[in-house]
Amino acid sequence: MAGIYVHIPFCRRRCHYCDFYKTTEVTRLSFFKEALVVEAELQSDFLKGERVKTVYFGGGTPSLLGAEDVAFLMGTLRRFFKLDPSAEVSLEVNPDDVDSGVAESWARTGVNRLSIGIQSFRDSHLRLMNRRHTARQAFQAVDYARGAGFTDISIDLIYSIPGMTLPEWENNLDTALSLPVNHISAYHLTYHEGTPFFECLRKGTLTETTEEESLSQFDLLMKKTSEAGFEHYEISNFAKNGAYSRHNCGYWFGEKYLGLGPSAHSYNGLSRQWNLADLDLYLEALKARKLPFDEEVLSEKERLNDYLITRLRTRWGISLAEIRRVYGDEEAGGVLRSALPYLHDGFLEQEGDVLRLTPAGILISDRILLELIRE
Ligand code: SF4
């Protein structure tokens, strides 16, 4: 199985916390689409004819694409790759871009999963983060998506927003869990260097939530989602009735994926590629029919560490048998030795040959990973 990620690098405005590659020069969309066709053609051999089981339009703001644009890009992917007829095709959308007409027309292009960037159901949070939409538009977006026949709907939420209280977060969770969605991604707000929020933090005009508050909010997230029948299948991801993001599972299971668009990453099992995070350079390179990426061939140790980093985050955990099979007894023994103190203290659990985080371990997963990764 393989996946394709398409990065749509346009946003109408910049959210104050965001460090994804994007530009507000939306008028360049048509040049970008042309370049994407060339990139798809030049990369048509990257997946070696493997069947593509997932396509993910991420951004930026893919919902700036009308149905015709999405149909054009899907046609391009079908032209150069073997798209499975039952592929999961996800589109990230901003709530204020969704109405019943456009949702229905996206569905007709083959998109079968919407990921709605709601972030919060409180207007004060949305304004603080410089989001474009309102809480009302967030509700409407879910309604329109359902009305258009989407049954796979994911929503994104952010916790530890400056000033967010535990009751406010609880309210956001209760609201989210009352909606007809079968997937929730919930992220701790991160202060990335170069973002307005980072600057405010530096100047002291914003106050970061304390570690204790963050842990309480994360605890509440785990408790509420579990009570509502959602499975916590990855640190930031929760699914109902097995509605996992198949695309993200591909990343965590080490499947091949091709990334198209500026800043997109690719992986073919042996090396990683990443496209230049610069629309000008991206367009220029493809105009000259050159691929705009840098590449790193992964050593065996790096591949093992990638496996540990991605799999420990999931409910499927780390398989010592798998490590033994691919990397040998010594590496498997080393991972187990590093895990022993955490097994003893209840932060990891072992079931047969599988090590996985316990709920307490999820809270200190970064620390555990640092111990497990191989030098
Ligand atoms: S819409 Fe998404 S990609 Fe664009 S600035 Fe906001 S968070 Fe970043």
Side-chain angles (χ1 to χ4, degrees):
M1 154 176 160
I4 296 181
Y5 172 80
V6 185
H7 189 76
I8 309 296
F10 301 100
C11 293
R12 284 206 204 284
R13 73 181 194 208
R14 296 166 193 273
C15 304
H16 286 338
Y17 56 88
C18 173
D19 78 332
F20 292 131
Y21 176 68
K22 73 267 174 193
T23 165
T24 51
E25 295 174 285
V26 179
T27 50
R28 303 178 79 189
L29 182 60
S30 57
F31 297 112
F32 168 71
K33 278 188 336 192
E34 282 169 28
L36 208 61
V37 176
V38 178
E39 189 185 11
E41 181 192 346
L42 295 177
Q43 288 282 42
S44 57
D45 200 32
F46 185 83
L47 299 173
K48 302 280 178 235
E50 232 171 89
R51 206 163 265 280
V52 174
K53 294 282 183 73
T54 65
V55 174
Y56 194 100
F57 292 97
T61 314
S63 51
L64 293 178
L65 300 175
E68 277 177 22
D69 298 321
V70 178
F72 172 80
L73 295 179
M74 286 298 291
T76 301
L77 298 183
R78 286 196 189 97
R79 192 164 133 213
F80 295 112
F81 303 95
K82 266 195 210 153
L83 241 62
D84 194 278
S86 65
E88 172 191 272
V89 182
S90 304
L91 183 79
E92 277 182 2
V93 302
N94 274 19
D96 52 327
D97 289 329
V98 187
D99 61 35
S100 56
V102 77
E104 279 167 21
S105 47
W106 283 327
R108 282 196 292 273
T109 66
V111 171
N112 49 29
R113 182 174 183 273
L114 291 186
S115 171
I116 309 178
I118 287 178
Q119 319 308 354
S120 174
F121 292 98
R122 281 184 91 85
D123 284 333
S124 58
H125 294 155
L126 296 170
R127 278 195 299 272
L128 179 71
M129 294 189 290
N130 204 33
R131 296 289 306 180
R132 271 197 285 142
H133 67 278
T134 60
R136 187 158 175 272
Q137 287 170 316
F139 290 113
Q140 283 173 336
V142 176
D143 271 355
Y144 290 138
R146 283 293 291 178
F150 284 98
T151 50
D152 284 323
I153 302 175
S154 178
I155 60 174
D156 283 359
L157 295 176
I158 297 180
Y159 59 98
S160 292
I161 295 169
M164 177 187 249
T165 62
L166 194 60
E168 284 174 359
W169 175 232
E170 182 164 20
N171 200 271
N172 271 350
L173 286 171
D174 288 339
T175 307
L177 294 168
S178 71
L179 296 175
V181 302
N182 57 4
H183 192 277
I184 295 175
S185 300
Y187 302 100
H188 187 288
L189 183 83
T190 308
Y191 294 83
H192 297 284
E193 203 168 342
T195 61
F197 265 11
F198 184 85
E199 267 312 290
C200 291
L201 197 62
R202 203 179 55 79
K203 287 188 202 142
T205 51
L206 266 191
T207 312
E208 204 172 351
T209 47
T210 63
E211 196 179 337
E212 204 183 356
E213 286 167 328
S214 290
L215 288 178
S216 306
Q217 293 185 14
F218 188 68
D219 254 345
L220 191 64
L221 167 67
M222 291 198 289
K223 180 169 166 282
K224 288 260 171 193
T225 47
S226 158
E227 284 169 1
F230 279 75
E231 185 184 354
H232 192 182
Y233 74 103
E234 196 268 348
I235 288 183
S236 308
N237 288 286
F238 304 80
K240 211 171 190 176
N241 303 325
Y244 312 129
S245 160
R246 282 163 53 198
H247 186 79
N248 286 344
C249 286
Y251 295 147
W252 302 323
F253 278 84
E255 310 286 355
K256 286 182 191 170
Y257 57 88
L258 171 66
L260 301 172
S263 81
H265 287 225
S266 306
Y267 173 70
N268 65 4
L270 296 172
S271 69
R272 266 194 291 256
Q273 295 180 357
W274 54 95
N275 281 353
L276 302 175
D278 183 312
L279 184 61
D280 287 324
L281 296 178
Y282 173 85
L283 295 177
E284 214 173 279
L286 287 161
K287 202 168 169 194
R289 296 187 64 79
K290 290 200 176 106
L291 285 169
F293 66 74
D294 286 322
E295 186 177 22
E296 177 190 27
V297 176
L298 299 172
S299 67
E300 197 163 278
K301 197 76 84 182
E302 285 167 328
R303 277 187 280 134
L304 170 58
N305 285 337
D306 273 2
Y307 172 82
L308 295 171
I309 290 166
T310 48
R311 286 294 287 273
L312 189 69
R313 295 178 60 90
T314 71
R315 68 177 275 275
W316 297 280
I318 291 168
S319 161
L320 293 170
E322 176 75 359
I323 297 175
R324 206 171 291 121
R325 185 180 67 76
V326 181
Y327 303 100
D329 287 343
E330 200 177 316
E331 295 295 6
V335 171
L336 182 58
R337 270 194 302 283
S338 305
L340 284 176
Y342 296 102
L343 283 165
H344 177 265
D345 293 342
F347 294 112
L348 286 174
E349 61 187 13
Q350 183 168 9
E351 193 182 331
D353 249 339
V354 172
L355 300 176
R356 67 171 73 86
L357 293 166
T358 62
I362 289 174
L363 301 175
I364 59 159
S365 58
D366 287 347
R367 200 196 319 159
I368 298 176
L369 258 178
L370 280 178
E371 291 294 329
L372 296 193
I373 57 176
R374 317 304 299 150
E375 296 290 318

